[in-house]
Amino acid sequence: MATHIQPEGLADKGIAGETVDPPVRRERKFGSGVEILLLTIFMVVMLFPVIWMLETALKETKDIYAVPAKVFSFSPTLDHFQNVFSSDSPVFKGFVNSVIVAGFSTLIATVLGVPAAWAYSRFTLKAKKDQLFFILSTRFMPPVVVVIPVFLMFRDLSLLDTRLGLVLVYAAFNLPFTIWMMKGFIDEVPAEYEEAAMLDGFSRFEAFWRVTMPLLIPGIAATAVFALIFSWNEFVFSIFLITDPDTRTAPSAIAGLIGGTTIDWGLVAASAMTFAVPVLVFAFLVRKHLVAGVTLGAVRR
């Protein structure tokens, strides 16, 4: 007697040959619709201040103070953005200082943090866990707690009102984060790679530089982005350690626009929008390395 084997995929067929969709699929479609709706609402709520700020930056001053508010019925203008980049604008000087301070502090933290993380990952050190915890504990305190001791120390070292002082402070605060982030990435790279390279005649440092370092580029990019964001957005040290308008960074320069009897909200909004662009552009340029870096070490199935 021949045995009839039912082809795979016909288990969901009805008596009349009609395909019966399993209820799980319908629930999944319903769940996906609800998720999309909730995400859309969340996106609108989160982006509403940004959209309102952009709209304010594009309005003329009379339209900003109009009652009722003009949401769509206004003529866009770029005058406020031109004022941001004018030669006598304090905000433009703040942008230049932010680029210098954030760039150099991120570079220093990365150059010092990657070798330190490699050493903690590869070598057996005395009280290594205690050292790592102490390094991380320096980030437990908010900046406002240590700003007074730093101020007194910088006053004795003549580092107040200098970009060098901010670079050193930001690099010091970014270094613990860099070490911990990079140690996690280096732990995911097998040490046997370096051992095999040393068997071929490479020194310990050459094995790290030529074998391990290329594999750490995504992690370095991800760590550098987060360090750059901290240095770019930092406000407390900038406002306490810098009083010279020619040396202050963008956050404190933008905050200085708010005060007095009148506030140019158009200039404030345009400055804030311009301030957000560089970090977004940098993150976009390294997005592939950023995604690969933050997912390095994830469980794969």
Side-chain angles (χ1 to χ4, degrees):
M1 179 180 295
T3 304
H4 176 68
I5 300 177
Q6 188 178 15
E8 184 180 358
L10 295 180
D12 295 334
K13 296 286 186 178
I15 298 178
E18 297 179 355
T19 302
V20 179
D21 294 331
V24 177
R25 294 182 181 178
R26 288 197 297 268
E27 293 177 0
R28 182 56 186 168
K29 291 180 180 179
F30 176 75
S32 298
V34 174
E35 291 173 1
I36 293 175
L37 178 61
L38 293 177
L39 290 175
T40 302
I41 296 175
F42 178 77
M43 181 183 66
V44 171
V45 172
M46 295 299 295
L47 292 180
F48 177 77
V50 179
I51 296 174
W52 188 269
M53 186 167 55
L54 176 61
E55 186 182 44
T56 303
L58 295 175
K59 287 181 178 179
E60 296 181 359
T61 304
K62 62 179 181 180
D63 294 330
I64 295 175
Y65 294 98
V67 179
K70 295 182 179 180
V71 181
F72 301 106
S73 58
F74 65 91
S75 299
T77 179
L78 297 177
D79 292 342
H80 299 301
F81 288 97
Q82 292 177 355
N83 294 334
V84 171
F85 293 99
S86 62
S87 58
D88 58 343
S89 173
V91 179
F92 179 72
K93 297 178 182 177
F95 285 143
V96 175
N97 294 329
S98 290
V99 171
I100 296 174
V101 171
F104 277 99
S105 63
T106 302
L107 180 62
I108 293 174
T110 304
V111 170
L112 297 179
V114 173
W118 173 68
Y120 278 113
S121 177
R122 291 292 188 258
F123 298 103
T124 301
L125 304 176
K126 185 178 180 181
K128 180 168 66 174
K129 293 184 178 180
D130 295 334
Q131 294 181 29
L132 288 172
F133 178 77
F134 174 76
I135 291 173
L136 184 63
S137 65
T138 59
R139 293 299 301 268
F140 292 169
M141 296 181 295
V144 70
V145 175
V146 297
V147 68
I148 300 301
V150 171
F151 177 87
L152 298 177
M153 181 174 59
F154 275 27
R155 185 187 61 183
D156 296 337
L157 297 175
S158 301
L159 289 176
L160 293 177
D161 290 331
T162 62
R163 289 190 289 261
L164 176 61
L166 285 182
V167 169
L168 295 177
V169 170
Y170 292 170
F173 266 77
N174 280 328
L175 189 58
F177 172 79
T178 302
I179 292 175
W180 269 86
M181 283 281 291
M182 290 308 305
K183 182 183 181 301
F185 294 138
I186 297 174
D187 288 342
E188 297 299 326
V189 179
E192 288 78 7
Y193 292 172
E194 298 177 15
E195 296 173 358
M198 287 188 291
L199 290 177
D200 291 338
F202 290 117
S203 64
R204 169 71 74 171
F205 179 77
E206 288 177 340
F208 164 71
W209 182 259
R210 297 188 180 185
V211 177
T212 306
M213 181 63 75
L215 301 177
L216 297 178
I217 291 178
I220 293 175
T223 305
V225 168
F226 291 120
L228 179 66
I229 291 175
F230 169 81
S231 299
W232 186 258
N233 295 333
E234 206 285 323
F235 178 76
V236 175
F237 288 114
S238 176
I239 201 69
F240 277 95
L241 302 179
I242 303 296
T243 58
D244 185 4
D246 294 332
T247 314
R248 64 176 53 178
T249 56
S252 56
I254 295 175
L257 298 176
I258 302 177
T261 57
T262 60
I263 301 175
D264 190 350
W265 290 111
L267 181 59
V268 173
S271 302
M273 292 300 301
T274 307
F275 177 71
V277 169
V279 173
L280 295 178
V281 172
F282 179 74
F284 177 79
L285 294 177
V286 299
R287 63 189 183 282
K288 294 182 180 180
H289 296 303
L290 180 61
V291 174
V294 297
T295 57
L296 183 63
V299 177
R300 295 178 176 85
R301 296 183 179 180

